[in-house]
Amino acid sequence: MGLNRRRVVQLGTAATVGTLLPRVAIAAADRNEAFEQEFSKTLDHLRTTFSDLGFSEVAPLSIAADHLSTTFSEIGVNEVAPRTITSGRDEYNGGLRHDFDQSTLPSNAFVIQPLARVADVDEKSRADVLPLFHEVGCHPADADGQATTRLMMHILTEVFDLNPSRIAFVSVPQADNIRPVLDEIGLPFSEKVLLRDETEALAARDASGFFFPDPFGNDYIVTMGVYYRVGDTDEPVPTAYPPSANWTEIGEIVIGGEAAPLGISIGAERLTYALTGQYPIWKQRLGLLFATAAQDGAEPPGLAAFR
């Protein structure tokens, strides 16, 4: 009998913790299993929510090299078995896919996209950073920034019942047109939104304010990062960027620009973290990253950074 993905992950975890004391290993395994169960519930709830709102689910981005996908399509060969981890661009993110091009997502649809980011290897000591994570992206038809903001807040505060007092936003001065929406729903713009310097945010290209779908291009969209305060702290809304470790970014709202359709993106693992306070350790998700990449049939260049 072959190994399923869950078993591969369990074996990978056992190998990484095998040198630890048994009690510690058991505790880590229990922690990770508890998280994965809650994470599965989060994904199911997100699927149901978007479906109930009239959105259809589409397959995640699926090919290591985009030009190959186009070529095969042009000669009448159908694409099967989506390959969701590799980007096919060695010079960007080491060949691993991140910040996927949501402009390819049809209107009124959503996608659950597995992602991996080489740069996160240097950030693995952070509690909310993983080698493999999932973004749920959605593009309502003919939406403006106010509509995408309302959609995100509806999902987070009404569907998932997150505490509004723990929510904060990071954006740029172009977000001022969102002020009426946040004021109306009881999240006062003047109290809840940290506005970054426009020049600084453009230079940083780190998505909390401006996001560049092509990391080497000049076209951008205007975004508003949604942060959630975790743990038992009562730290007020961030006054400087990046926020302290007490805040985890759980999503992005696209509020302007023409480089991609306006929409929202929710980090499913981060949302689970906000809901439960649970998060897996980095090593636990390594097994899942390797298992998922193996389905592509060839190792992407960037995967070596995770070994």
Side-chain angles (χ1 to χ4, degrees), residues 44-246:
D44 288 344
H45 199 175
L46 284 167
R47 280 193 173 96
T48 300
T49 297
F50 281 109
S51 296
D52 288 347
L53 290 170
F55 298 100
S56 58
E57 183 173 2
V58 297
L61 291 185
S62 59
I63 197 71
D66 294 337
H67 71 277
L68 289 178
S69 179
T70 302
T71 299
F72 282 118
S73 296
E74 289 175 347
I75 63 176
V77 177
N78 294 326
E79 181 181 340
V80 296
R83 300 164 65 183
T84 56
I85 290 298
T86 59
S87 68
R89 300 180 63 182
D90 294 1
E91 76 279 11
Y92 174 47
N93 204 36
L96 290 178
R97 190 181 294 285
H98 182 65
D99 294 334
F100 60 102
D101 181 7
Q102 293 194 40
S103 66
T104 62
L105 185 64
S107 294
N108 284 332
F110 72 97
V111 63
I112 299 175
Q113 178 70 50
L115 297 168
R117 185 170 67 176
V118 172
D120 283 343
V121 174
D122 292 334
E123 301 290 332
K124 64 183 179 180
S125 60
R126 282 180 45 185
D128 59 355
V129 172
L130 293 175
L132 177 74
F133 56 101
H134 298 75
E135 288 187 17
V136 183
C138 172
H139 289 156
D142 301 320
D144 58 18
Q146 293 193 359
T148 55
T149 302
R150 290 183 189 280
L151 174 62
M152 178 71 97
M153 291 303 99
H154 167 72
I155 292 173
L156 296 183
T157 64
E158 298 180 39
V159 176
F160 283 91
D161 201 29
L162 288 184
N163 186 345
S165 69
R166 289 177 171 264
I167 293 176
F169 307 90
V170 175
S171 192
V172 287
Q174 287 86 336
D176 191 66
N177 65 332
I178 307 302
R179 184 183 300 270
V181 175
L182 295 184
D183 290 348
E184 176 187 326
I185 63 177
L187 296 168
F189 187 94
S190 60
E191 300 175 12
K192 287 289 190 177
V193 182
L194 169 62
L195 293 179
R196 302 176 65 189
D197 177 77
E198 180 179 350
T199 302
E200 173 190 297
L202 277 170
R205 290 175 169 242
D206 58 5
S208 285
F210 297 108
F211 171 67
F212 292 77
D214 178 354
F216 306 108
N218 296 316
D219 295 329
Y220 60 80
I221 51 181
V222 185
T223 66
M224 186 162 63
V226 184
Y227 288 77
Y228 197 75
R229 190 179 70 234
V230 294
D232 296 328
T233 69
D234 58 357
E235 181 182 341
V237 172
T239 58
Y241 184 84
S244 75
N246 293 326

